[in-house]
Amino acid sequence: AAGVIQSPRHLIKEKRETATLKCYPIPRHDTVYWYQQGPGQDPQFLISFYEKMQSDKGSIPDRFSAQQFSDYHSELNMSSLELGDSALYFCASSLGELNEQFFGPGTRLTVL
Amino acid sequence: AQTVTQSQPEMSVQEAETVTLSCTYDTSENNYYLFWYKQPPSRQMILVIRQEAYKQQNATENRFSVNFQKAAKSFSLKISDSQLGDTAMYFCAFMTSIQGGSEKLVFGKGTKLTVNP
């Protein structure tokens, strides 16, 4: 069965640079969630989209923005990167809201 | 706001034995979902088991079962016949079931489980 695809899997950036993380949900899934997991931490919710509209927002810095496109894939744009942004970024998808969320393998971002 | 508490940062168990991981949560809602996720060293988040709050029957998935005590707001995970592959971080998570509400997952801090041969 098809799973959630995230690219790239690993990303190394310098401070103050910009990064774009991509997420391709499971086919037919219309809802995408982004989570950030710092080292030794639990995943923290950043933002979610349902049918290409933002549906909820968590503790996402103003330097970050995201959107969901017409094909339901989503991109998380991160600007003015800081050392503290180094983390594993998960995308999850579901069919509609309030359904099981399937997680992608994550993108490991390292900011030097 | 909902909170999820896992009071056991680390646990260990011998292969083939049974272990129980604890989770408590706080919410004012009556309907919601609870989950246990497994995160092995690969860091992949894998759903282990799911419980709907309106269901009185405890969920079971093969060697994994839960003890859901709604009044006590407790949701423990029992792993029977532990296997080396069960070694992982286990996260308890809460999700609202209110349409139009926040459908994000709220995670506990996790319990690191080690299965010893």
Side-chain angles (χ1 to χ4, degrees):
Chain A
V4 177
I5 297 172
Q6 290 188 247
S7 68
R9 294 292 308 277
H10 302 275
L11 190 59
I12 300 174
K13 291 287 185 178
E14 299 280 340
K15 280 174 53 178
R16 292 179 288 278
E17 286 191 325
T18 297
T20 297
L21 279 55
K22 297 184 178 182
C23 170
Y24 298 87
I26 291 171
R28 296 196 308 118
H29 281 196
D30 51 13
T31 307
V32 168
Y33 311 81
W34 286 96
Y35 294 87
Q36 177 192 57
Q37 186 178 27
Q41 303 294 314
D42 55 296
Q44 294 290 317
F45 172 73
L46 292 177
I47 196 167
S48 61
F49 294 88
Y50 170 62
E51 281 292 342
K52 292 155 279 185
M53 298 283 289
Q54 181 181 309
S55 57
D56 196 7
K57 194 172 181 180
S59 50
I60 183 170
D62 292 340
R63 301 177 287 107
F64 294 7
S65 65
Q67 58 180 322
Q68 185 179 33
F69 294 85
S70 57
D71 63 351
Y72 295 104
H73 94 272
S74 178
E75 295 183 4
L76 177 66
N77 297 292
M78 311 161 68
S79 62
S80 302
L81 287 169
E82 302 174 357
L83 296 178
D85 296 329
S86 295
L88 187 59
Y89 290 83
F90 285 108
C91 170
S93 74
S94 68
L95 180 59
E97 299 171 304
L98 305 180
N99 281 310
E100 178 183 338
Q101 296 181 25
F102 293 84
F103 281 76
T107 293
R108 181 175 298 280
L109 172 67
T110 301
V111 182
L112 302 176
Chain B
Q2 292 83 10
T3 59
V4 178
T5 302
Q6 293 179 248
S7 59
Q8 305 150 316
E10 293 190 39
M11 293 190 73
S12 63
V13 64
Q14 291 299 123
E15 196 175 4
E17 293 188 344
T18 295
V19 63
T20 299
L21 280 57
S22 301
C23 172
T24 59
Y25 58 93
D26 187 27
T27 183
S28 58
E29 298 176 12
N30 191 47
N31 294 315
Y32 45 87
Y33 300 95
L34 294 164
F35 305 87
W36 278 98
Y37 279 88
K38 169 185 177 181
Q39 189 175 42
S42 67
R43 306 297 300 276
Q44 175 77 46
M45 291 290 286
I46 303 166
L47 178 66
V48 174
I49 200 163
R50 161 191 173 135
Q51 175 81 42
E52 288 90 347
Y54 67 87
K55 290 186 177 179
Q56 292 185 335
Q57 186 172 6
N58 289 324
T60 298
E61 287 288 343
N62 301 315
R63 298 182 295 106
F64 299 88
S65 61
V66 298
N67 183 3
F68 174 49
Q69 301 290 328
K70 190 173 183 179
K73 295 180 182 176
S74 171
F75 182 61
S76 61
L77 174 70
K78 186 172 82 171
I79 305 174
S80 303
D81 186 24
S82 297
Q83 300 176 1
L84 296 178
D86 295 333
T87 293
M89 181 72 83
Y90 287 81
F91 291 100
C92 178
F94 172 101
M95 186 176 79
T96 184
S97 67
I98 298 175
Q99 191 71 34
S102 174
E103 70 278 13
K104 67 183 180 187
L105 287 167
V106 177
F107 290 89
K109 295 299 182 186
T111 295
K112 184 178 180 181
L113 176 67
T114 301
V115 179
N116 299 308

